[in-house]
Amino acid sequence: MPLLELADQVQQLRTLARDFEALHARVRDASYTPDTDALRQISPLLLKAQDLTAAVLVRLGTLESSVYTSVAGSRSSLECLASVVVASSLAGSDLASALFANPFDGAPFPGCPSDDASTRAARHAEAIPRMTGHLADAAHQLDLSATGCHYVATGITRDRANARVETVSARAAAVPALTSTQYDALKALVLGGGRLYESSQRGLGVTRVAVDNGTRISIATFRALTHRGLVDRDTNTSLFYGQKITVTEQGQQALARPRPAATAASPARAVAAPPTVRGARR
């Protein structure tokens, strides 16, 4: 998974967090009476908790096998997401325990006395606090699950931003140093734009660079910039009409550096006079 696709994972984690929050509200506000109604009200909550646990497991597996594991700080996010699996599983267990505490009014074994109204009411009254406690525990675990998803989403966003900054810095450090002439040519192409032309003079093809603001750039300088990947040209257009020159991202990074000092011209070498040969005719 490319680093850019982590944005999709962040979005899915945010969606999961909202789903956990919605389920938390449903469990917290659950209203029921023991027996059949409780089964009807709590069963969908349990099924939803199990679905969300499965979704968290998918997100954990996807991130654990992605390029994100090479990003600094990813371990903390993965451990937090694993804790969300635990919390959502405990929420499902609490909901199942609430169903187990629910007093079902079925017929007893033969020979056992049947429940009368007062016995049934006592069983319901005894079960309600236990069921309420299990539902409160489930709501707490769902709240932790939502918080954990938000935390992981924020962590991935932060780690991804830091990784992008580190990558840009590494690329900037890899940009070769420019001469002052190359720097000025690159800046002129950014500010004025330019095109590469080829014309025929005396049967020979002559290639030249034309900049809109009139700056003169030699073809040797242009080739040096192209070789370093600092400029690019539109090869889909004929050189006769002019190929548009663009400054690449690496070229932009090179311009972000201070302008290099101009190199002093080397002094011309003195031409030695030929030695005098004695006896030579004048």
Side-chain angles (χ1 to χ4, degrees):
M1 177 198 305
L3 197 60
L4 290 175
E5 292 184 11
L6 287 177
D8 295 335
Q9 298 301 313
V10 170
Q11 183 60 41
Q12 293 183 46
L13 285 168
R14 297 289 189 198
T15 301
L16 265 176
R18 289 191 292 269
D19 290 342
F20 274 119
E21 290 168 347
L23 183 57
H24 167 264
R26 290 173 59 191
V27 171
R28 182 195 59 200
D29 300 334
S31 177
Y32 63 93
T33 56
D35 194 22
T36 306
D37 182 61
L39 179 63
R40 185 180 297 113
Q41 298 296 330
I42 298 175
S43 293
L45 304 179
L46 173 57
L47 293 174
K48 183 62 177 179
Q50 292 173 336
D51 288 342
L52 292 180
T53 300
V56 176
L57 270 175
V58 172
R59 299 278 69 76
L60 179 60
T62 301
L63 288 172
E64 197 276 334
S65 60
S66 73
V67 70
Y68 179 59
T69 57
S70 63
V71 176
S74 58
R75 180 185 299 177
S76 176
S77 295
L78 293 174
E79 290 176 348
C80 181
L81 197 55
S83 73
V84 174
V85 175
V86 175
S88 59
S89 298
L90 289 175
S93 177
D94 289 326
L95 290 168
S97 295
L99 287 179
F100 181 70
N102 181 40
F104 296 97
D105 294 331
F109 286 111
C112 295
S114 301
D115 292 342
D116 55 19
S118 61
T119 303
R120 186 180 300 109
R123 291 177 62 229
H124 288 189
E126 182 181 355
I128 287 177
R130 294 201 303 270
M131 296 176 68
T132 301
H134 289 309
L135 291 175
D137 291 341
H140 175 66
Q141 296 297 337
L142 292 170
D143 185 46
L144 291 178
S145 300
T147 301
C149 287
H150 280 304
Y151 179 87
V152 175
T154 301
I156 293 176
T157 302
R158 179 196 61 242
D159 298 338
R160 178 169 168 259
N162 292 339
R164 187 186 298 113
V165 170
E166 292 174 0
T167 301
V168 171
S169 299
R171 289 177 179 175
V175 176
L178 300 177
T179 65
S180 57
T181 301
Q182 292 170 349
Y183 184 93
D184 293 340
L186 201 58
K187 187 173 183 179
L189 290 171
V190 168
L191 297 177
R195 292 181 179 273
L196 185 68
Y197 291 92
E198 184 176 291
S199 58
S200 178
Q201 296 181 4
R202 298 180 182 179
L204 299 176
V206 177
T207 306
R208 62 185 178 87
V209 178
V211 183
D212 295 344
N213 60 11
T215 302
R216 298 185 63 182
I217 299 177
S218 69
I219 190 62
T221 299
F222 172 78
R223 286 172 178 167
L225 296 176
T226 302
H227 179 72
R228 297 185 178 191
L230 305 181
V231 297
D232 198 4
R233 59 192 175 98
D234 178 16
T235 56
N236 294 323
T237 305
S238 170
L239 283 169
F240 177 78
Y241 294 103
Q243 297 178 347
K244 184 178 179 180
I245 301 171
T246 56
V247 178
T248 64
E249 181 181 353
Q250 195 172 7
Q252 299 283 356
Q253 295 169 6
L255 283 176
R257 296 180 175 183
R259 181 183 184 278
T263 304
S266 301
R269 296 182 179 179
V271 180
T276 302
V277 181
R278 292 182 180 181
R281 294 181 180 178
R282 294 184 178 179

